[in-house]
Amino acid sequence: MKPEEIKTRLRDEMADLAPDRLEDLLAACDAQPQEHARAAGADAGAPPPGVEAARRSRRVRAAARRHLRLPRA
Amino acid sequence: MPPETKAALAELYAQAKNPVYCFALSILRDSFAAEDVMQETFLQVWKSAPTYRPSGKNALTWILGITKYTALARLREGQRAGIPLEDAADKVDPRDAFRDCENRIVTQAMLAQLAQDEREIVVLHVVTGLKHREIAELLEMPLPTVLSKYHRSLKKLERLVREPS
């Protein structure tokens, strides 16, 4: 058997190996819809990573400037 | 779950369940454990979907990455039970590996005779259709290593099928 035949044979043999457990999966997903919706909502409203830290940093610098009466950099 | 979400998940499951299952089987050599890992992978995909960013990769590579970490966590559970990680998959009872593989001669030879990394590479390329470059990235291996292991594994399989011991 040549390598090409081995590949074809293996592909055919493993083509339908996985059992179908879609109903179990859907039931498991249904068991945690709130968690998923919360994650989706949080993701939609949240800024990309790093943006909040940069905002915080800008706020701290602005407060320091006001407190020390420094000119803008 | 809204019907359109359910339909999308069912479509994804239909397309990706076999690659996910076969990859998990190549790591674990246990069809029950591979089935659990397949379900756990899709549950994780469902949970992580809102934060998924394509970033140039195809979705199957992302899903198979989840499969890899879930399956390796399974192996680590075996490690905690006293089996070294690198040996855990090879300590599985061969009857578990072959439960669904009767009359699948090349599959049996692959599961019985190839090393874990060889099995993963062969399945990822031949069964899931990943390119060698994608496999190298997924398995965190240099591309030349993936290529040499792949060709060596095919030769080994060829010999095993020709001369079954």
Side-chain angles (χ1 to χ4, degrees), chain B residues 74-102:
Chain B
R74 253 308 163 113
L75 286 185
R76 263 181 233 114
E77 284 171 22
Q79 188 186 27
R80 277 199 288 276
I83 305 167
L85 184 58
E86 59 272 20
D87 295 340
D90 295 326
K91 295 286 185 218
V92 170
D93 184 340
R95 283 169 301 185
D96 293 334
F98 302 141
R99 219 164 10 231
D100 300 323
C101 301
E102 299 89 3

PDB file of all heavy atoms in Angstrom, chain B residues 74-102:
ATOM      1  N   ARG B  74      -7.089  16.035  30.556  1.00  0.00           N
ATOM      2  CA  ARG B  74      -7.508  14.658  30.844  1.00  0.00           C
ATOM      3  C   ARG B  74      -6.302  13.775  31.184  1.00  0.00           C
ATOM      4  O   ARG B  74      -6.326  12.967  32.112  1.00  0.00           O
ATOM      5  CB  ARG B  74      -8.156  14.073  29.601  1.00  0.00           C
ATOM      6  CG  ARG B  74      -9.643  13.877  29.566  1.00  0.00           C
ATOM      7  CD  ARG B  74     -10.137  13.130  30.736  1.00  0.00           C
ATOM      8  NE  ARG B  74     -11.542  13.332  30.841  1.00  0.00           N
ATOM      9  CZ  ARG B  74     -12.436  12.371  30.649  1.00  0.00           C
ATOM     10  NH1 ARG B  74     -12.076  11.146  30.392  1.00  0.00           N
ATOM     11  NH2 ARG B  74     -13.712  12.631  30.770  1.00  0.00           N
ATOM     12  N   LEU B  75      -5.250  13.931  30.347  1.00  0.00           N
ATOM     13  CA  LEU B  75      -4.044  13.134  30.582  1.00  0.00           C
ATOM     14  C   LEU B  75      -3.415  13.490  31.926  1.00  0.00           C
ATOM     15  O   LEU B  75      -2.894  12.633  32.624  1.00  0.00           O
ATOM     16  CB  LEU B  75      -3.022  13.357  29.466  1.00  0.00           C
ATOM     17  CG  LEU B  75      -3.311  12.715  28.115  1.00  0.00           C
ATOM     18  CD1 LEU B  75      -2.139  12.927  27.169  1.00  0.00           C
ATOM     19  CD2 LEU B  75      -3.559  11.216  28.250  1.00  0.00           C
ATOM     20  N   ARG B  76      -3.492  14.806  32.270  1.00  0.00           N
ATOM     21  CA  ARG B  76      -2.922  15.238  33.545  1.00  0.00           C
ATOM     22  C   ARG B  76      -3.669  14.617  34.719  1.00  0.00           C
ATOM     23  O   ARG B  76      -3.076  14.336  35.751  1.00  0.00           O
ATOM     24  CB  ARG B  76      -2.936  16.768  33.648  1.00  0.00           C
ATOM     25  CG  ARG B  76      -1.608  17.352  33.267  1.00  0.00           C
ATOM     26  CD  ARG B  76      -1.588  18.848  33.389  1.00  0.00           C
ATOM     27  NE  ARG B  76      -1.137  19.368  32.107  1.00  0.00           N
ATOM     28  CZ  ARG B  76      -1.866  20.088  31.279  1.00  0.00           C
ATOM     29  NH1 ARG B  76      -3.080  20.446  31.591  1.00  0.00           N
ATOM     30  NH2 ARG B  76      -1.383  20.488  30.135  1.00  0.00           N
ATOM     31  N   GLU B  77      -4.975  14.405  34.527  1.00  0.00           N
ATOM     32  CA  GLU B  77      -5.747  13.724  35.585  1.00  0.00           C
ATOM     33  C   GLU B  77      -5.159  12.337  35.808  1.00  0.00           C
ATOM     34  O   GLU B  77      -5.030  11.874  36.933  1.00  0.00           O
ATOM     35  CB  GLU B  77      -7.214  13.594  35.176  1.00  0.00           C
ATOM     36  CG  GLU B  77      -7.986  14.885  35.303  1.00  0.00           C
ATOM     37  CD  GLU B  77      -9.378  14.774  34.673  1.00  0.00           C
ATOM     38  OE1 GLU B  77      -9.891  13.653  34.515  1.00  0.00           O
ATOM     39  OE2 GLU B  77      -9.925  15.836  34.303  1.00  0.00           O
ATOM     40  N   GLY B  78      -4.778  11.674  34.713  1.00  0.00           N
ATOM     41  CA  GLY B  78      -4.120  10.365  34.810  1.00  0.00           C
ATOM     42  C   GLY B  78      -2.779  10.481  35.495  1.00  0.00           C
ATOM     43  O   GLY B  78      -2.393   9.630  36.291  1.00  0.00           O
ATOM     44  N   GLN B  79      -2.098  11.611  35.213  1.00  0.00           N
ATOM     45  CA  GLN B  79      -0.788  11.840  35.823  1.00  0.00           C
ATOM     46  C   GLN B  79      -0.929  11.957  37.337  1.00  0.00           C
ATOM     47  O   GLN B  79      -0.127  11.426  38.097  1.00  0.00           O
ATOM     48  CB  GLN B  79      -0.188  13.124  35.251  1.00  0.00           C
ATOM     49  CG  GLN B  79       1.240  13.379  35.661  1.00  0.00           C
ATOM     50  CD  GLN B  79       1.711  14.745  35.185  1.00  0.00           C
ATOM     51  OE1 GLN B  79       0.908  15.658  35.016  1.00  0.00           O
ATOM     52  NE2 GLN B  79       2.980  14.877  34.952  1.00  0.00           N
ATOM     53  N   ARG B  80      -2.018  12.672  37.744  1.00  0.00           N
ATOM     54  CA  ARG B  80      -2.254  12.802  39.187  1.00  0.00           C
ATOM     55  C   ARG B  80      -2.522  11.447  39.808  1.00  0.00           C
ATOM     56  O   ARG B  80      -2.274  11.232  40.978  1.00  0.00           O
ATOM     57  CB  ARG B  80      -3.416  13.761  39.448  1.00  0.00           C
ATOM     58  CG  ARG B  80      -2.981  15.216  39.429  1.00  0.00           C
ATOM     59  CD  ARG B  80      -4.004  16.085  40.130  1.00  0.00           C
ATOM     60  NE  ARG B  80      -5.219  16.218  39.336  1.00  0.00           N
ATOM     61  CZ  ARG B  80      -5.359  17.110  38.374  1.00  0.00           C
ATOM     62  NH1 ARG B  80      -4.393  17.946  38.086  1.00  0.00           N
ATOM     63  NH2 ARG B  80      -6.484  17.192  37.688  1.00  0.00           N
ATOM     64  N   ALA B  81      -3.025  10.519  38.961  1.00  0.00           N
ATOM     65  CA  ALA B  81      -3.293   9.174  39.464  1.00  0.00           C
ATOM     66  C   ALA B  81      -2.017   8.319  39.447  1.00  0.00           C
ATOM     67  O   ALA B  81      -2.067   7.116  39.671  1.00  0.00           O
ATOM     68  CB  ALA B  81      -4.380   8.518  38.631  1.00  0.00           C
ATOM     69  N   GLY B  82      -0.877   8.964  39.125  1.00  0.00           N
ATOM     70  CA  GLY B  82       0.392   8.253  39.220  1.00  0.00           C
ATOM     71  C   GLY B  82       1.001   7.818  37.903  1.00  0.00           C
ATOM     72  O   GLY B  82       2.013   7.134  37.887  1.00  0.00           O
ATOM     73  N   ILE B  83       0.401   8.237  36.774  1.00  0.00           N
ATOM     74  CA  ILE B  83       0.965   7.858  35.472  1.00  0.00           C
ATOM     75  C   ILE B  83       1.661   9.075  34.880  1.00  0.00           C
ATOM     76  O   ILE B  83       1.043  10.129  34.772  1.00  0.00           O
ATOM     77  CB  ILE B  83      -0.153   7.391  34.507  1.00  0.00           C
ATOM     78  CG1 ILE B  83      -0.951   6.263  35.138  1.00  0.00           C
ATOM     79  CG2 ILE B  83       0.427   6.956  33.173  1.00  0.00           C
ATOM     80  CD1 ILE B  83      -2.249   5.954  34.401  1.00  0.00           C
ATOM     81  N   PRO B  84       2.945   8.983  34.499  1.00  0.00           N
ATOM     82  CA  PRO B  84       3.621  10.139  33.904  1.00  0.00           C
ATOM     83  C   PRO B  84       2.889  10.614  32.653  1.00  0.00           C
ATOM     84  O   PRO B  84       2.362   9.788  31.898  1.00  0.00           O
ATOM     85  CB  PRO B  84       5.007   9.603  33.537  1.00  0.00           C
ATOM     86  CG  PRO B  84       5.174   8.345  34.305  1.00  0.00           C
ATOM     87  CD  PRO B  84       3.801   7.809  34.569  1.00  0.00           C
ATOM     88  N   LEU B  85       2.881  11.946  32.446  1.00  0.00           N
ATOM     89  CA  LEU B  85       2.104  12.526  31.342  1.00  0.00           C
ATOM     90  C   LEU B  85       2.445  11.897  30.003  1.00  0.00           C
ATOM     91  O   LEU B  85       1.580  11.537  29.223  1.00  0.00           O
ATOM     92  CB  LEU B  85       2.344  14.038  31.292  1.00  0.00           C
ATOM     93  CG  LEU B  85       1.551  14.838  30.258  1.00  0.00           C
ATOM     94  CD1 LEU B  85       0.064  14.652  30.458  1.00  0.00           C
ATOM     95  CD2 LEU B  85       1.903  16.310  30.339  1.00  0.00           C
ATOM     96  N   GLU B  86       3.757  11.736  29.743  1.00  0.00           N
ATOM     97  CA  GLU B  86       4.156  11.237  28.423  1.00  0.00           C
ATOM     98  C   GLU B  86       3.739   9.777  28.207  1.00  0.00           C
ATOM     99  O   GLU B  86       3.656   9.318  27.083  1.00  0.00           O
ATOM    100  CB  GLU B  86       5.678  11.413  28.201  1.00  0.00           C
ATOM    101  CG  GLU B  86       6.554  10.712  29.203  1.00  0.00           C
ATOM    102  CD  GLU B  86       6.836  11.584  30.439  1.00  0.00           C
ATOM    103  OE1 GLU B  86       6.094  12.538  30.701  1.00  0.00           O
ATOM    104  OE2 GLU B  86       7.785  11.275  31.153  1.00  0.00           O
ATOM    105  N   ASP B  87       3.455   9.060  29.328  1.00  0.00           N
ATOM    106  CA  ASP B  87       3.071   7.655  29.188  1.00  0.00           C
ATOM    107  C   ASP B  87       1.572   7.445  29.314  1.00  0.00           C
ATOM    108  O   ASP B  87       1.061   6.375  29.017  1.00  0.00           O
ATOM    109  CB  ASP B  87       3.732   6.804  30.295  1.00  0.00           C
ATOM    110  CG  ASP B  87       5.238   6.794  30.143  1.00  0.00           C
ATOM    111  OD1 ASP B  87       5.720   7.100  29.024  1.00  0.00           O
ATOM    112  OD2 ASP B  87       5.921   6.490  31.124  1.00  0.00           O
ATOM    113  N   ALA B  88       0.852   8.491  29.782  1.00  0.00           N
ATOM    114  CA  ALA B  88      -0.556   8.293  30.159  1.00  0.00           C
ATOM    115  C   ALA B  88      -1.391   7.716  29.024  1.00  0.00           C
ATOM    116  O   ALA B  88      -2.127   6.752  29.211  1.00  0.00           O
ATOM    117  CB  ALA B  88      -1.156   9.605  30.642  1.00  0.00           C
ATOM    118  N   ALA B  89      -1.241   8.280  27.809  1.00  0.00           N
ATOM    119  CA  ALA B  89      -2.057   7.796  26.687  1.00  0.00           C
ATOM    120  C   ALA B  89      -1.674   6.382  26.297  1.00  0.00           C
ATOM    121  O   ALA B  89      -2.495   5.618  25.792  1.00  0.00           O
ATOM    122  CB  ALA B  89      -1.893   8.718  25.489  1.00  0.00           C
ATOM    123  N   ASP B  90      -0.415   6.018  26.536  1.00  0.00           N
ATOM    124  CA  ASP B  90       0.026   4.680  26.138  1.00  0.00           C
ATOM    125  C   ASP B  90      -0.298   3.623  27.191  1.00  0.00           C
ATOM    126  O   ASP B  90      -0.107   2.440  26.963  1.00  0.00           O
ATOM    127  CB  ASP B  90       1.528   4.707  25.843  1.00  0.00           C
ATOM    128  CG  ASP B  90       1.811   5.596  24.633  1.00  0.00           C
ATOM    129  OD1 ASP B  90       0.971   5.624  23.718  1.00  0.00           O
ATOM    130  OD2 ASP B  90       2.837   6.279  24.629  1.00  0.00           O
ATOM    131  N   LYS B  91      -0.785   4.081  28.356  1.00  0.00           N
ATOM    132  CA  LYS B  91      -1.162   3.118  29.394  1.00  0.00           C
ATOM    133  C   LYS B  91      -2.634   2.717  29.282  1.00  0.00           C
ATOM    134  O   LYS B  91      -3.121   1.907  30.040  1.00  0.00           O
ATOM    135  CB  LYS B  91      -0.939   3.731  30.794  1.00  0.00           C
ATOM    136  CG  LYS B  91       0.514   4.028  31.108  1.00  0.00           C
ATOM    137  CD  LYS B  91       1.289   2.773  31.398  1.00  0.00           C
ATOM    138  CE  LYS B  91       2.706   3.104  31.838  1.00  0.00           C
ATOM    139  NZ  LYS B  91       3.705   2.182  31.336  1.00  0.00           N
ATOM    140  N   VAL B  92      -3.326   3.351  28.342  1.00  0.00           N
ATOM    141  CA  VAL B  92      -4.751   3.051  28.182  1.00  0.00           C
ATOM    142  C   VAL B  92      -4.913   1.620  27.690  1.00  0.00           C
ATOM    143  O   VAL B  92      -4.106   1.130  26.905  1.00  0.00           O
ATOM    144  CB  VAL B  92      -5.366   4.045  27.154  1.00  0.00           C
ATOM    145  CG1 VAL B  92      -6.769   3.632  26.773  1.00  0.00           C
ATOM    146  CG2 VAL B  92      -5.363   5.446  27.726  1.00  0.00           C
ATOM    147  N   ASP B  93      -5.938   0.972  28.182  1.00  0.00           N
ATOM    148  CA  ASP B  93      -6.225  -0.387  27.724  1.00  0.00           C
ATOM    149  C   ASP B  93      -6.503  -0.352  26.212  1.00  0.00           C
ATOM    150  O   ASP B  93      -7.407   0.377  25.778  1.00  0.00           O
ATOM    151  CB  ASP B  93      -7.468  -0.888  28.486  1.00  0.00           C
ATOM    152  CG  ASP B  93      -7.801  -2.337  28.163  1.00  0.00           C
ATOM    153  OD1 ASP B  93      -7.346  -2.822  27.109  1.00  0.00           O
ATOM    154  OD2 ASP B  93      -8.512  -2.957  28.958  1.00  0.00           O
ATOM    155  N   PRO B  94      -5.749  -1.103  25.390  1.00  0.00           N
ATOM    156  CA  PRO B  94      -5.957  -1.047  23.936  1.00  0.00           C
ATOM    157  C   PRO B  94      -7.391  -1.339  23.534  1.00  0.00           C
ATOM    158  O   PRO B  94      -7.858  -0.833  22.523  1.00  0.00           O
ATOM    159  CB  PRO B  94      -5.019  -2.132  23.405  1.00  0.00           C
ATOM    160  CG  PRO B  94      -4.009  -2.331  24.462  1.00  0.00           C
ATOM    161  CD  PRO B  94      -4.676  -2.003  25.762  1.00  0.00           C
ATOM    162  N   ARG B  95      -8.130  -2.090  24.348  1.00  0.00           N
ATOM    163  CA  ARG B  95      -9.529  -2.372  23.989  1.00  0.00           C
ATOM    164  C   ARG B  95     -10.361  -1.099  23.957  1.00  0.00           C
ATOM    165  O   ARG B  95     -11.302  -0.968  23.195  1.00  0.00           O
ATOM    166  CB  ARG B  95     -10.146  -3.373  24.972  1.00  0.00           C
ATOM    167  CG  ARG B  95      -9.698  -4.789  24.715  1.00  0.00           C
ATOM    168  CD  ARG B  95     -10.109  -5.693  25.839  1.00  0.00           C
ATOM    169  NE  ARG B  95      -9.541  -5.226  27.101  1.00  0.00           N
ATOM    170  CZ  ARG B  95      -9.642  -5.868  28.257  1.00  0.00           C
ATOM    171  NH1 ARG B  95     -10.297  -6.997  28.322  1.00  0.00           N
ATOM    172  NH2 ARG B  95      -9.103  -5.390  29.343  1.00  0.00           N
ATOM    173  N   ASP B  96      -9.968  -0.103  24.800  1.00  0.00           N
ATOM    174  CA  ASP B  96     -10.683   1.171  24.795  1.00  0.00           C
ATOM    175  C   ASP B  96     -10.435   1.927  23.496  1.00  0.00           C
ATOM    176  O   ASP B  96     -11.318   2.566  22.956  1.00  0.00           O
ATOM    177  CB  ASP B  96     -10.241   2.047  25.984  1.00  0.00           C
ATOM    178  CG  ASP B  96     -10.663   1.448  27.301  1.00  0.00           C
ATOM    179  OD1 ASP B  96     -11.656   0.705  27.306  1.00  0.00           O
ATOM    180  OD2 ASP B  96      -9.988   1.708  28.306  1.00  0.00           O
ATOM    181  N   ALA B  97      -9.184   1.844  23.021  1.00  0.00           N
ATOM    182  CA  ALA B  97      -8.843   2.555  21.785  1.00  0.00           C
ATOM    183  C   ALA B  97      -9.581   1.979  20.593  1.00  0.00           C
ATOM    184  O   ALA B  97      -9.938   2.691  19.665  1.00  0.00           O
ATOM    185  CB  ALA B  97      -7.338   2.480  21.555  1.00  0.00           C
ATOM    186  N   PHE B  98      -9.809   0.683  20.610  1.00  0.00           N
ATOM    187  CA  PHE B  98     -10.347   0.024  19.418  1.00  0.00           C
ATOM    188  C   PHE B  98     -11.850  -0.236  19.483  1.00  0.00           C
ATOM    189  O   PHE B  98     -12.401  -0.911  18.629  1.00  0.00           O
ATOM    190  CB  PHE B  98      -9.634  -1.318  19.185  1.00  0.00           C
ATOM    191  CG  PHE B  98      -8.154  -1.164  19.038  1.00  0.00           C
ATOM    192  CD1 PHE B  98      -7.287  -2.075  19.584  1.00  0.00           C
ATOM    193  CD2 PHE B  98      -7.629  -0.086  18.352  1.00  0.00           C
ATOM    194  CE1 PHE B  98      -5.925  -1.923  19.452  1.00  0.00           C
ATOM    195  CE2 PHE B  98      -6.262   0.079  18.209  1.00  0.00           C
ATOM    196  CZ  PHE B  98      -5.407  -0.841  18.766  1.00  0.00           C
ATOM    197  N   ARG B  99     -12.498   0.318  20.509  1.00  0.00           N
ATOM    198  CA  ARG B  99     -13.909   0.017  20.691  1.00  0.00           C
ATOM    199  C   ARG B  99     -14.744   0.325  19.438  1.00  0.00           C
ATOM    200  O   ARG B  99     -15.620  -0.422  19.076  1.00  0.00           O
ATOM    201  CB  ARG B  99     -14.453   0.805  21.881  1.00  0.00           C
ATOM    202  CG  ARG B  99     -15.421   0.009  22.691  1.00  0.00           C
ATOM    203  CD  ARG B  99     -15.678   0.585  24.060  1.00  0.00           C
ATOM    204  NE  ARG B  99     -15.143   1.892  24.295  1.00  0.00           N
ATOM    205  CZ  ARG B  99     -14.401   2.204  25.349  1.00  0.00           C
ATOM    206  NH1 ARG B  99     -14.064   1.294  26.224  1.00  0.00           N
ATOM    207  NH2 ARG B  99     -13.969   3.437  25.529  1.00  0.00           N
ATOM    208  N   ASP B 100     -14.407   1.444  18.784  1.00  0.00           N
ATOM    209  CA  ASP B 100     -15.180   1.823  17.597  1.00  0.00           C
ATOM    210  C   ASP B 100     -14.413   1.545  16.307  1.00  0.00           C
ATOM    211  O   ASP B 100     -14.758   2.062  15.270  1.00  0.00           O
ATOM    212  CB  ASP B 100     -15.513   3.325  17.657  1.00  0.00           C
ATOM    213  CG  ASP B 100     -16.325   3.652  18.882  1.00  0.00           C
ATOM    214  OD1 ASP B 100     -17.177   2.834  19.250  1.00  0.00           O
ATOM    215  OD2 ASP B 100     -16.093   4.708  19.483  1.00  0.00           O
ATOM    216  N   CYS B 101     -13.336   0.795  16.404  1.00  0.00           N
ATOM    217  CA  CYS B 101     -12.434   0.701  15.250  1.00  0.00           C
ATOM    218  C   CYS B 101     -12.333  -0.705  14.661  1.00  0.00           C
ATOM    219  O   CYS B 101     -11.348  -1.014  13.991  1.00  0.00           O
ATOM    220  CB  CYS B 101     -11.043   1.182  15.639  1.00  0.00           C
ATOM    221  SG  CYS B 101     -11.041   2.879  16.216  1.00  0.00           S
ATOM    222  N   GLU B 102     -13.318  -1.558  14.913  1.00  0.00           N
ATOM    223  CA  GLU B 102     -13.252  -2.883  14.311  1.00  0.00           C
ATOM    224  C   GLU B 102     -13.224  -2.733  12.795  1.00  0.00           C
ATOM    225  O   GLU B 102     -13.920  -1.881  12.238  1.00  0.00           O
ATOM    226  CB  GLU B 102     -14.469  -3.744  14.708  1.00  0.00           C
ATOM    227  CG  GLU B 102     -14.608  -4.007  16.193  1.00  0.00           C
ATOM    228  CD  GLU B 102     -15.414  -2.914  16.868  1.00  0.00           C
ATOM    229  OE1 GLU B 102     -15.894  -2.009  16.166  1.00  0.00           O
ATOM    230  OE2 GLU B 102     -15.526  -2.958  18.117  1.00  0.00           O
TER     231      GLU B 102
END
